[in-house]
Amino acid sequence: MVSRGERRPSCGAAGNLAELAELDEEALLGGLRERFLRQQVYTDVGDILIAMNPFQPLPLCGREVSERYRRQETGTLPPHIFAVASRAYYGMLGRRGNRPQNQCIVISGESGAGKTESTKLLLQHIMNLCKGNSQLERQILQVNPLLEAFGNAQTAMNDNSSRFGKYIQLRFQNNTVQGAKLSEYLLEKSRVVQQDIGERNFHIFYYMFAGLSSEEKEMYGLLDPSLYRYISGRFGTSDAAQSWKHKYQEMCNALDMVGFQEQEQVDMQTILAGVLSLGNVTFEPEESDGSVKVSEVSQGWLKAAASQFGVQEDELLNCLICTMSVTRGEQIQRFHTQQQAEDARDSIAKVAYGRVFGWIVWKINELLAENVDPEVELREIGILDIFGFENFAVNHFEQLCINLANEQLQHFFNHHIFQLEQAAYKEEELPWETITFNNNEPILNLLLAKPVGLLSLLDEQSAFPQATDKTFVDKLNSSFKASLHFQPGRGRVLCFSIIHYAGKVQYTAGGFLEKNRDTLPANVHGLFINSVTPLLSVLFKATISRTGTLMPHVKAKVIPGADKFNSTRKQSAGAQFRHSLMMLMERLYSANPHFVRCIKPNSQKEPGVVDSQVVLQQLRYNGLLETIRIRRDGFSWRPSFEEFAERYGILLVKPDVSLTKESCLEILQSTELSGWICGKSRLFFKYWHQEQLGKYVERLERAAVVIQKVFRGFRYRKSYLKLVAEQRAQARRLQEEAERERRQQLAVEAEAQKRISFPVPMPRKRHPRPSPNPPDKPPQPPVPRPRSKLTESTPFDNFLDHSAPRPVLGTKKQAGEEAKMRKCKRGASLRWFKETQAEKVVQDDGAFPSWLHGMISRREAENLLMDEPLGCFLVRISQSQPGYTLTYRGEGRCRHYMIQVQPNARYVILGEDQAHASLTELVQYHQAVGIQPFMEKLTVPCGQKSSEILNCKDLECVTLDLPAAMREAPPEEQPCPSGPSTSRSALQSRAAAALRHMWSGRTKNFPDQQSLDKSSTKPSSGKKRVFPRLHSSIRLAMQEIQQLSSAPLNTSVQSCCQSLSTDDVNPE
């Protein structure tokens, strides 16, 4: 046994709180405050990171910082979120003597503490560590801005609060990311229909009003934002509108980058516009029979909502004002009260928005799924970004679920940091003074126990049609009156309080049963399944899993006259959340965890201000003081003897190391480690010991690489010399044979000369040939020809290992097959261009852009740009696969960038995070914004120089190979074959004529789209445009609403549109 006195070499008490000499709340708070005021927002507690939200952008997370943490040892650098990402990544790979293992990073903290930004930085650094530069990595990084738009909102505590939880699973094969999966938890759907004072609806609604042009608003049926009840008739300042407009553009780019089709995007925004219109439908009682009807002022809004949802107006009205049921074959109609009608309206809005969000998550998972052999084992890094602990002035059902999730995460932290560790000390009989911590298991039992837990009682009451929120509260008061963590409410308001690990929270019980039931009005399910909007039909054909996940692939059978939604869906909202939480905890317990504790320095969101009471409260309920104590005095790494000897037996540099206690002690004695303890069945190490042992293993690995390098060099040098000697001996034999044959030939010729002598003919005079280059142009240097694949191998080739198979020399048959394959690929690329790209690339005047050079090789492109100025560029069609390559004249060399055409017809340069609707738009964008990573801007296009080059023939074949129906152009526009002397302008004019005719033939009729997967996309240069299915009905409804509006209201509409955008002016 070795003493545990000496500690890791200190990086300073300011960097690692586990090395504080005096451990109390004052020292802890002082260390954090001092670092925060020096703009050092990251602090270590052993291997746990504390991140304080600076409430301002800091130069701490740029690309240069990420490169530094990627290349250097994290132990030599200050604490950082990138260091946590590096530890998780290398732990997943099994570097530094560790066994490959799935990893998870748990980010926790209050709302507004910076969890979402921490998640972005973790993803950014992990993608930088991969260094694959694939389009998949860029798509993964675009997931966050997309989910923020639809799942985040402004609250009283946070301007960008996550109103849902997400767990991102990154899946790796070796060191390359192969796919990603996203799990979402408990979207706060009630925010769609109601927001408290000082709060807003989801970001996407404000982004749409600020980012859409006036023409697009007319297309979707959107008017002045002050008219809409679901956003409380409030919008924002002009600065906020400009910021939202920029965010809307980012969101649209994220949709394009991830791979959403344009028709899907249009349908999605049309449904969101329908949700807003539905919120403006109001009801008034009928005077005759006591039923309700839609008020006169909201008739237009009902018509607009029905058109935006793609359903009949009268059918939607029936779903709102009455319920249809079938009893003993007889159809019974029950009319709603005004309150029931309003509840039905809000339920439809919440369910529609929730299903749109669930579909977005499902679509992301489908587009980012790994495309590998199912038998290949993939490693995983999970990142949990879940809503923080919340305690508002009024707390509802959503706050209860959110705080329950935080209770589970706190229990997971306590279990991993305190319970497992101290149980191991007790089992191994080590001298240890027990550290007490705030155990929140009784609170979890209060909430989750069956059959008398709070959620179980809520489900029980939700099953009774006559139960109310009051009966639910009475049930809680009678069941938990003896609990120390439950307090009944006082006064007339229905409420109760729970003493959470982070403090007491009072919950308002109003609406608990309705939100837990999460019901949908009768017949709405069948109505939306039959919608002419494909996306809405897909959303309601989908089934809901046990955890609340949308599953669009499972088709639901709809029985006419009955709503099967409520009868088949047996899980309440609380039960779904409980099941999803259980699955999440299973994932976390099966992986190696890393913890990031986010701290909010003040409640006013002011930069550079530390509120000691706010920070101290968070430190107390997070248990950070006890965490520091156990990290300072405890042993966080506890491998068994067998595991340690198997992993680090290489340090003894001998074979067949036995997996025993004696071998472990021998290994440790060969190192300079101190501070560890040997128990009865396992070893106990400090949190830094694993990193130090990894360095010993790395040193041996580097030595092994040197040994392998020297041995292989010796082996191949010996083989090389032997092969050279054989070649030289063979060359000498060939030379001797040639010399012998030459002598024999000379002897034969001499003998013949003696017999007869003929006169020697004089050589002809060689006439000078004209130079191929003009006299005023300097001669071009010869282009070196590539080495043929048919040449024999020489001693300088790398085929020197006699045991390795020798290269097979090329034959004429193989050369013919390769040429045939190249010709086949070339033909496929030309067909792809002709059938899918020619219409989109041609300009408005019918000509191809001057920078498009058809299908030319890399060498030909470089020769064209050889004498061009810096920044000159051209685009060529790829010869081996469908796509393009952009060739750029850089400083001293040419660069080639691959342009990928995504399945949703968007153009992206590999490595870039910006998608473009057309090739022309891509070129124009990068004439203003440089291409990563060198940020080189395109300047001058390289135009065509000759009519005989390959690209002109390619563009000509596009017109010559058109179908006969498309070639029926007027005589002056019909293309005709031409020889090599045809001018470039003639070829372009013929291409323009044929393409114009082809386009006019295809755009005479605008066919309706019948499926999401076959939806068309629009070329950006004024070609097809995708519209909502009932666009004309939406316009009529908007006109009716505007006619009912007063003149001052129309003035406010125009002024608001002018404040949103300079081009958002509608004179009507």
Side-chain angles (χ1 to χ4, degrees):
M1 184 181 298
V2 181
S3 172
R4 51 171 176 162
E6 187 176 346
R7 289 206 179 97
R8 179 187 187 186
S10 175
C11 65
N16 194 340
L17 297 178
E19 296 165 2
L20 287 172
E22 297 182 1
L23 186 59
D24 53 26
E25 288 184 348
E26 185 178 353
L28 174 59
L29 183 61
L32 288 175
R33 182 196 293 112
E34 181 183 353
R35 287 182 60 79
F36 181 78
L37 295 178
R38 294 203 307 262
Q39 294 188 344
Q40 296 174 338
V41 297
Y42 297 114
T43 307
D44 279 336
V45 178
D47 53 355
I48 300 167
L49 183 72
I50 298 178
M52 297 186 71
N53 191 348
F55 293 119
Q56 62 179 334
L58 295 177
L60 298 176
C61 305
R63 190 174 185 85
E64 299 79 9
V65 180
S66 180
E67 285 294 318
R68 199 162 74 241
Y69 279 85
R70 185 177 72 88
R71 293 175 180 173
Q72 298 183 24
E73 295 288 341
T74 55
T76 62
L77 296 171
H80 204 284
I81 191 79
F82 291 160
V84 178
S86 296
R87 286 199 297 269
Y89 180 73
Y90 292 125
M92 179 269 302
L93 294 177
R95 298 278 178 86
R96 298 177 181 174
N98 295 328
R99 185 176 303 167
Q101 185 181 2
N102 291 342
Q103 310 286 313
C104 68
I105 304 175
V106 181
I107 309 170
S108 58
E110 281 190 2
S111 179
K115 299 182 297 299
T116 301
E117 292 300 319
S118 297
T119 302
K120 293 180 188 176
L121 295 174
L122 287 169
L123 282 173
Q124 170 190 325
H125 188 64
I126 292 175
M127 293 301 103
N128 189 30
L129 290 169
C130 295
K131 276 298 181 184
N133 201 28
S134 68
Q135 197 61 24
L136 176 62
E137 295 163 12
R138 296 292 172 181
Q139 289 175 320
I140 291 173
L141 291 176
Q142 292 296 322
V143 168
N144 263 317
L146 178 56
L147 293 178
E148 280 187 24
F150 288 88
N152 287 29
Q154 177 182 327
T155 65
M157 301 175 65
N158 187 1
D159 292 341
N160 188 32
S161 177
S162 297
R163 308 318 301 161
F164 72 108
K166 64 176 178 288
Y167 185 64
I168 304 173
Q169 297 166 265
L170 304 175
R171 291 172 175 169
F172 296 83
Q173 184 179 6
N174 298 327
N175 61 344
T176 305
V177 63
Q178 295 292 338
K181 183 181 179 182
L182 182 70
S183 302
E184 53 98 4
Y185 305 97
L186 192 71
L187 178 71
E188 189 184 23
K189 293 183 291 187
S190 62
R191 181 170 294 273
V192 175
V193 300
Q194 182 181 6
Q195 308 91 42
D196 292 332
I197 298 175
E199 299 192 350
R200 293 186 182 275
N201 210 319
F202 290 103
H203 291 330
I204 181 60
F205 295 114
Y206 306 95
Y207 291 176
M208 288 174 62
F209 281 114
L212 292 172
S213 65
S214 57
E215 180 185 357
E216 290 170 326
K217 290 174 186 173
E218 180 185 1
M219 180 179 77
Y220 290 120
L222 291 175
L223 298 176
D224 180 26
S226 64
L227 298 175
Y228 293 95
R229 189 179 66 86
Y230 279 168
I231 59 175
S232 304
R234 294 180 290 109
F235 192 60
T237 63
S238 58
D239 292 339
Q242 287 300 321
S243 174
W244 290 334
K245 184 176 182 179
H246 178 68
K247 292 287 187 181
Y248 178 79
Q249 294 168 354
E250 287 184 354
M251 186 268 295
C252 291
N253 179 67
L255 288 169
D256 289 338
M257 285 289 295
V258 175
F260 286 77
Q261 299 287 344
E262 186 172 5
Q263 184 66 59
E264 294 172 342
Q265 299 181 35
V266 169
D267 289 346
M268 183 169 55
Q269 296 187 73
T270 306
I271 294 173
L272 297 182
V275 168
L276 291 177
S277 298
L278 184 65
N280 283 7
V281 177
T282 57
F283 304 93
E284 57 186 21
E286 287 272 10
E287 296 180 357
S288 57
D289 55 359
S291 61
V292 294
K293 65 177 182 179
V294 174
S295 61
E296 287 293 330
V297 294
S298 61
Q299 287 287 346
W301 292 111
L302 177 65
K303 183 180 296 183
S307 302
Q308 288 158 337
F309 287 144
V311 297
Q312 293 294 328
E313 179 184 353
D314 55 344
E315 294 181 355
L316 180 61
L317 176 62
N318 288 335
C319 293
L320 293 173
I321 65 173
C322 65
T323 299
M324 302 293 296
S325 59
V326 178
T327 303
R328 295 180 180 179
E330 183 180 357
Q331 194 172 20
I332 300 176
Q333 185 179 32
R334 290 183 294 115
F335 289 97
H336 291 165
T337 64
Q338 183 171 349
Q339 183 62 47
Q340 289 174 333
E342 292 173 353
D343 291 342
R345 173 199 63 198
D346 293 344
S347 296
I348 294 174
K350 290 187 292 184
V351 172
Y353 188 88
R355 294 213 169 193
V356 168
F357 185 80
W359 174 80
I360 291 173
V361 173
W362 169 82
K363 190 74 176 178
I364 290 173
N365 289 335
E366 183 185 49
L367 294 170
L368 302 186
E370 60 274 6
N371 186 19
V372 296
D373 190 344
E375 297 182 358
V376 175
E377 184 180 4
L378 299 178
R379 295 294 174 186
E380 189 175 288
I381 297 179
I383 302 176
L384 178 64
D385 173 22
I386 206 162
F387 15 60
F389 189 86
E390 293 183 348
N391 187 3
F392 299 139
V394 180
N395 300 285
H396 302 288
F397 173 74
E398 293 81 8
Q399 278 67 48
L400 177 67
C401 295
I402 287 171
N403 293 339
L404 168 59
N406 282 271
E407 290 281 1
Q408 278 280 22
L409 291 181
Q410 181 66 20
H411 181 265
F412 174 71
F413 180 81
N414 291 340
H415 178 80
H416 187 81
I417 299 299
F418 297 105
Q419 291 178 323
L420 288 180
E421 193 163 323
Q422 298 193 102
Y425 301 154
K426 184 177 181 180
E427 182 182 348
E428 297 288 323
E429 298 180 358
L430 297 184
W432 177 258
E433 182 181 350
T434 302
I435 296 177
T436 58
F437 61 94
N438 184 16
N439 190 353
N440 64 339
E441 279 192 25
I443 306 175
L444 289 176
N445 292 333
L446 170 70
L447 297 172
L448 296 174
K450 291 183 178 181
V452 291
L454 190 147
L455 289 185
S456 297
L457 295 178
L458 180 61
D459 286 344
E460 177 186 314
Q461 291 291 306
S462 299
F464 294 126
Q466 304 303 323
T468 63
D469 294 325
K470 185 178 185 307
T471 61
F472 169 62
V473 173
D474 293 340
K475 187 74 173 179
L476 293 183
N477 293 338
S478 61
S479 301
F480 302 131
K481 58 185 178 180
S483 174
L484 298 177
H485 301 280
F486 180 87
Q487 291 182 1
R490 297 178 180 177
R492 298 181 179 179
V493 179
L494 285 176
C495 62
F496 60 91
S497 298
I498 295 178
I499 314 299
H500 288 281
Y501 78 100
K504 177 181 174 181
V505 179
Q506 179 175 308
Y507 296 99
T508 301
F512 261 59
L513 292 183
E514 178 192 350
K515 292 177 180 178
N516 187 54
R517 288 167 180 159
D518 198 16
T519 55
L520 189 68
N523 302 325
V524 169
H525 190 223
L527 174 64
F528 282 172
I529 282 181
N530 298 320
S531 167
V532 299
T533 301
L535 178 58
L536 193 64
S537 178
V538 167
L539 295 182
F540 282 84
K541 283 180 182 177
T543 57
I544 303 296
S545 71
R546 192 182 181 193
T547 59
T549 304
L550 192 77
M551 298 187 298
H553 284 305
V554 181
K555 295 184 179 180
K557 295 182 180 179
V558 181
I559 300 176
D563 181 22
K564 306 302 293 183
F565 178 80
N566 293 328
S567 60
T568 58
R569 178 182 168 186
K570 299 178 182 179
Q571 296 292 325
S572 64
Q576 288 178 359
F577 182 66
R578 176 168 35 190
H579 289 309
S580 62
L581 203 57
M582 288 170 55
M583 293 185 62
L584 172 64
M585 301 313 297
E586 288 178 5
R587 293 193 184 109
L588 296 182
Y589 277 109
S590 64
N592 181 42
H594 305 263
F595 295 99
V596 178
R597 311 291 279 192
C598 295
I599 301 293
K600 184 166 60 174
N602 60 77
S603 301
Q604 291 74 34
K605 297 177 281 191
E606 296 181 5
V609 177
V610 177
D611 189 331
S612 299
Q613 287 301 117
V614 172
V615 175
L616 195 58
Q617 182 185 7
Q618 296 172 76
L619 296 179
R620 284 173 178 167
Y621 70 66
N622 280 324
L624 282 179
L625 196 65
E626 294 80 9
T627 303
I628 294 171
R629 184 176 293 116
I630 200 169
R631 276 293 178 260
R632 185 181 68 175
D633 301 330
F635 301 89
S636 59
W637 182 38
R638 304 173 295 278
S640 64
F641 294 143
E642 293 80 5
E643 180 184 355
F644 182 82
E646 182 182 1
R647 187 180 300 181
Y648 296 103
I650 188 177
L651 296 178
L652 292 180
V653 197
K654 66 178 184 181
D656 301 328
V657 177
S658 59
L659 307 181
T660 61
K661 176 180 179 180
E662 291 73 20
S663 298
C664 296
L665 295 177
E666 186 180 357
I667 293 170
L668 290 170
Q669 288 168 2
S670 67
T671 66
E672 298 178 357
L673 247 62
S674 61
W676 50 270
I677 289 181
C678 181
K680 294 191 300 183
S681 62
R682 62 184 64 246
L683 294 165
F684 293 83
F685 293 96
K686 298 290 187 181
Y687 61 88
W688 68 81
H689 282 149
Q690 195 168 8
E691 183 179 342
Q692 290 186 345
L693 284 168
K695 291 180 180 178
Y696 286 116
V697 174
E698 280 188 351
R699 189 191 312 169
L700 284 180
E701 288 176 349
R702 288 194 296 267
V705 170
V706 173
I707 294 172
Q708 292 174 353
K709 178 184 69 174
V710 173
F711 172 73
R712 288 175 179 172
F714 168 77
R715 179 184 176 188
Y716 287 120
R717 190 179 301 109
K718 185 177 179 180
S719 301
Y720 169 76
L721 293 175
K722 183 178 180 180
L723 184 58
V724 168
E726 291 178 358
Q727 293 286 343
R728 286 175 178 172
Q730 184 179 2
R732 282 196 300 270
R733 287 195 301 270
L734 293 175
Q735 188 176 1
E736 291 173 358
E737 291 177 3
E739 183 65 23
R740 191 163 49 250
E741 290 179 0
R742 189 180 66 83
R743 288 176 183 174
Q744 291 177 358
Q745 183 68 23
L746 288 176
V748 172
E749 290 178 356
E751 185 67 27
Q753 189 69 24
K754 289 179 182 179
R755 296 177 184 172
I756 183 169
S757 179
F758 296 99
V760 179
M762 296 294 291
R764 289 184 182 179
K765 272 191 176 183
R766 181 173 293 179
H767 298 284
R769 294 184 179 180
S771 174
N773 295 321
D776 56 342
K777 186 175 181 181
Q780 297 291 333
V783 178
R785 299 186 63 184
R787 182 178 173 184
S788 173
K789 297 181 179 179
L790 306 181
T791 57
E792 295 186 4
S793 60
T794 67
F796 300 97
D797 291 326
N798 293 325
F799 303 98
L800 305 178
D801 189 356
H802 294 288
S803 62
R806 294 299 185 91
V808 180
L809 298 181
T811 62
K812 290 184 178 180
K813 182 179 179 181
Q814 292 173 344
E817 291 177 353
E818 291 181 2
K820 185 178 179 181
M821 183 63 67
R822 287 195 298 269
K823 184 177 180 181
C824 182
K825 290 182 178 179
R826 177 187 178 87
S829 295
L830 284 175
R831 282 196 304 274
W832 165 80
F833 177 79
K834 180 182 68 174
E835 295 172 0
T836 66
Q837 299 296 305
E839 303 173 2
K840 303 175 183 179
V841 175
V842 70
Q843 297 176 342
D844 293 335
D845 59 357
F848 289 103
S850 60
W851 38 260
L852 182 62
H853 281 246
M855 186 176 291
I856 61 176
S857 66
R858 180 189 183 108
R859 178 64 56 84
E860 289 171 324
E862 292 177 352
N863 290 341
L864 286 172
L865 294 176
M866 184 180 298
D867 300 325
E868 298 296 336
L870 188 68
C872 188
F873 69 95
L874 60 86
V875 177
R876 53 193 173 91
I877 304 172
S878 176
Q879 293 179 322
S880 58
Q881 60 183 1
Y884 299 95
T885 301
L886 189 150
T887 303
Y888 174 85
R889 174 73 165 85
E891 188 73 34
R893 61 169 297 177
C894 288
R895 304 191 194 279
H896 303 270
Y897 298 97
M898 289 185 63
I899 300 176
Q900 184 183 56
V901 184
Q902 298 189 151
N904 61 348
R906 292 298 188 264
Y907 299 80
V908 182
I909 294 180
L910 289 187
E912 285 284 324
D913 53 5
Q914 187 72 27
H916 307 276
S918 68
L919 203 57
T920 303
E921 183 181 310
L922 182 146
V923 169
Q924 293 173 350
Y925 176 81
H926 287 293
Q927 286 177 330
V929 180
I931 305 174
Q932 296 180 3
F934 304 102
M935 303 310 295
E936 296 169 328
K937 294 182 181 180
L938 309 180
T939 56
V940 183
C942 178
Q944 310 292 349
K945 296 188 177 181
S946 170
S947 62
E948 299 181 6
I949 58 176
L950 186 61
N951 50 2
C952 287
K953 297 178 182 178
D954 288 340
L955 297 181
E956 181 184 9
C957 81
V958 171
T959 62
L960 295 180
D961 294 344
L962 289 175
M966 296 182 182
R967 290 203 303 265
E968 294 176 0
E972 62 273 14
E973 295 183 350
Q974 285 185 354
C976 59
S978 61
S981 60
T982 307
S983 65
R984 168 69 178 167
S985 59
L987 289 172
Q988 283 195 347
S989 64
R990 283 198 295 274
L995 288 173
R996 277 198 300 266
H997 181 73
M998 178 170 61
W999 179 253
S1000 63
R1002 289 189 180 184
T1003 55
K1004 286 179 180 178
N1005 298 317
F1006 188 81
D1008 290 338
Q1009 311 294 336
Q1010 300 299 328
S1011 66
L1012 284 173
D1013 297 332
K1014 296 183 179 180
S1015 61
S1016 64
T1017 57
K1018 64 168 185 177
S1020 67
S1021 56
K1023 307 294 191 305
K1024 288 184 181 179
R1025 179 156 193 182
V1026 179
F1027 289 93
R1029 291 303 187 274
L1030 299 179
H1031 174 56
S1032 58
S1033 300
I1034 295 174
R1035 293 186 61 183
L1036 291 175
M1038 293 299 105
Q1039 292 174 3
E1040 181 177 337
I1041 295 171
Q1042 289 175 329
Q1043 289 173 1
L1044 291 174
S1045 303
S1046 60
L1049 184 59
N1050 287 333
T1051 306
S1052 66
V1053 170
Q1054 294 181 0
S1055 63
C1056 179
C1057 291
Q1058 292 175 357
S1059 67
L1060 293 182
S1061 174
T1062 55
D1063 60 345
D1064 290 353
V1065 179
N1066 187 0
E1068 298 179 2

